[in-house]
Amino acid sequence: MVQKYQSPVRVYKHPFELIMAAYERRFPTCPLIPMFVDSDTVNEFRSEDGAIHVIERRCKLDIDAPRLLKKIAGVDYVYFVQKNSLNSRERTLHIEAHNETFSNRVIINEHCCYTVHPENEDWTCFEQSASLDIKSFFGFESTVEKIAMKQYTSNIKKGKEIIEYYLRQLEEEGITFVPRWTPPSITPSSETSVSCGKQAAALAVAVPEAALKEGPSSEALSNASGAPEPVATTPDDKLDADYIKRYLGDLTPLQESCLIRLRQWLQETHKGKIPKDEHILRFLRARDFNIDKARETMCQSLTWRKQHQVDYILDTWTPPQVLQDYYAGGWHHHDKDGRPLYVLRLGQMDTKGLVRALGEEALLRYVLSINEEGLRRCEENTKVFGRPISSWTCLVDLEGLNMRHLWRPGVKALLRIIEVVEANYPETLGRLLILRAPRVFPVLWTLVSPFIDDNTRRKFLIYAGNDYQGPGGLLDYIDKEVIPDFLGGECMCEVPEGGLVPKSLYRTAEELENEDLKLWTETIYQSASVFKGAPHEILIQIVDASSVITWDFDVCKGDIVFNIYHSKRSPQPPKKDSLGAHSITSPGGNNVQLIDRVWQLGRDYSMVESPLICREGESVQGSHVTRWPGFYILQWKFHSMPACAATLPRVDDVLASLQVPSHKCKVMYYTEVIGSEDFRGSMTSLESSHSGFSQLSAATTSSSQSHSSSMISR
């Protein structure tokens, strides 16, 4: 398995030239890096005008590894080759390094870059990426991987300290300014030298073999790194190390790398509509920074949020009066760590009455609104206290808890709420204080605890009777001034006292079922199934040319191809496809085909956008300016990998192709037609389609176009 690392952008508030002077002092050896024993210059090149300086070094490292492992490997030192390409004209330094020792067993590539800060030319930015691929190592692959990651992360932490150490050294020597490179004076016969200067500038990124001194390793070294050049992106696409520390907390280098890589993946697949960094970090923490697991759960959560419009719940949904009167919970100041404090008097709450009066779904929606409010309060407290606050504290008072609270439908509703919150709000609970737990509590705990994540359970503190008033009790976590009055404190708590819900407010099972259905079908998004040989199509009639068709869809399962067609005549009314080829009826009528099988492309209808292949988990937004009136068909089609005619299919592939689930995809989509005079922003914006993650998205301004980039029909 290939291990990858991507650093955040680290900013030095010093000019590029001064940073370069400090950096060069690391060679030939650096006492601040004990493992860095020595280095020898292998090749060196300097352009005639002095703007380009390329130097290759062979570095000798003493890896901190068990003596037995070194003896088995037969080496005492490990050698790396490093190529530094300095372009003083552009003020950039590119560093590429790869291992020379055991290069047939272990492949290590590193790429670093020093550049000028895009907003302040007197500051310098540093970025770093690396990859580790262990093919084989005498049966000690896992051990070598751990040693390599440990050594690498320790050196990453020291990187900025070392530069700052040499900056102080320069300052002590009276060097606080290094002049920028300036081109030499131009002579009358300077045409040739100018041409050479342009050629030399091109060497900053990739130096040709001829530009280097003759040496046995020149050709090999020029291509040895294999590390891709960094993709040019806007500063908004990158995370600054100082920002991470201020708003997200202290992360290890590998944790920073996981955050950045998952964030980059979301930017590529969700086209700029990505959750805030705090929310991405919560999913990573909940999955112990396993990127694949965090990505899977986050995509499921984002789809769920979009489908049920959870992002707008605080603005568009008003809790019923019954909840406002009888739900004994509310926000109450903050704890000693600055976390928002939520107080829930569960023992005083009539859970049976609330379920009978409102239904399970209304209670769930109310709990979701509480969680959304909690996210908002965490952001506010982060600004107020000047440190990262990403979770809240919940204080649950169980006085009054009895067998009535163990009513089966009520417990079922509680378990459903726990399940939804655990899946979509990970790592938001910082601490749970359970006070005055009665004898019946162990019964409730036995029912509930299996559904609670292990990491969450560790945050529970349970106090029986008046134990919370003693040492290690409430005063350790909440200031005396904000302890609620019903717990013996002096602070008036405005949380409703709960009480029994009048039976006159109870509703029948049919009424509750209809209400529950209404709550969770109020969505602008529609779901559709796409089968092999049975695409899903929707019809849009355009009366005025130059109208704008916009779309926003998520690929929930499988890979699909998205097409847009135009026809002058209307297709037949949509019919449910019987999927005769597979003898399967599309469930729920959510698969519609409009294009008649006898229609011919180019005669009866035409393609107005290039086909777009969309992978599972991607979120696609785009728009199309119509050139002609008529009928436009948006099509989601099953994407099949092209078969290779030269090779016979494997038995496993044939068996897999016979399984119906492998031939089914699922999409969730929303479309809207907007008059050209009303369409605002770039052709990839969807301001009026309400598809953004309003509560979770950072205020990103995506400069990259959607893959389904909008083009005027030709």
Side-chain angles (χ1 to χ4, degrees), residues 221-276:
L221 184 57
S222 64
N223 293 319
S225 168
E229 290 294 327
V231 180
T233 52
T234 62
D236 292 337
D237 294 334
K238 300 180 180 180
L239 286 183
D240 181 272
D242 294 333
Y243 160 82
I244 290 177
K245 187 172 183 179
R246 166 66 178 81
Y247 291 98
L248 304 179
D250 292 320
L251 303 178
T252 67
L254 293 181
Q255 289 173 345
E256 289 177 339
S257 174
C258 291
L259 172 63
I260 292 167
R261 287 162 55 200
L262 181 54
R263 190 176 186 268
Q264 288 175 344
W265 182 85
L266 287 167
Q267 284 176 327
E268 293 169 2
T269 57
H270 286 70
K271 315 302 180 287
K273 286 179 8 177
I274 65 172
K276 294 178 182 177

Side-chain angles (χ1 to χ4, degrees), residues 35-36 38-40 42 56-63 77-83 96-102 106-110 131-132 148 152 221:
M35 64 180 292
F36 186 23
D38 196 10
S39 64
D40 299 318
V42 178
E56 300 170 9
R57 296 184 177 95
R58 189 169 183 260
C59 303
K60 182 179 180 181
L61 306 180
D62 183 10
I63 302 296
Y77 301 100
V78 174
Y79 290 90
F80 274 73
V81 177
Q82 184 187 75
K83 180 178 74 174
E96 294 180 358
H98 69 279
N99 62 306
E100 184 181 83
T101 308
F102 298 118
V106 180
I107 301 174
I108 301 175
N109 290 312
E110 182 184 47
S131 64
L132 167 68
Y152 193 72
L221 184 57

Side-chain angles (χ1 to χ4, degrees), residues 32-69:
L32 298 179
I33 309 178
M35 64 180 292
F36 186 23
V37 179
D38 196 10
S39 64
D40 299 318
T41 300
V42 178
N43 286 295
E44 189 170 4
F45 164 79
R46 193 183 295 272
S47 62
E48 291 183 8
D49 60 2
I52 307 299
H53 183 204
V54 179
I55 186 168
E56 300 170 9
R57 296 184 177 95
R58 189 169 183 260
C59 303
K60 182 179 180 181
L61 306 180
D62 183 10
I63 302 296
D64 182 16
R67 188 172 185 82
L68 177 62
L69 185 61

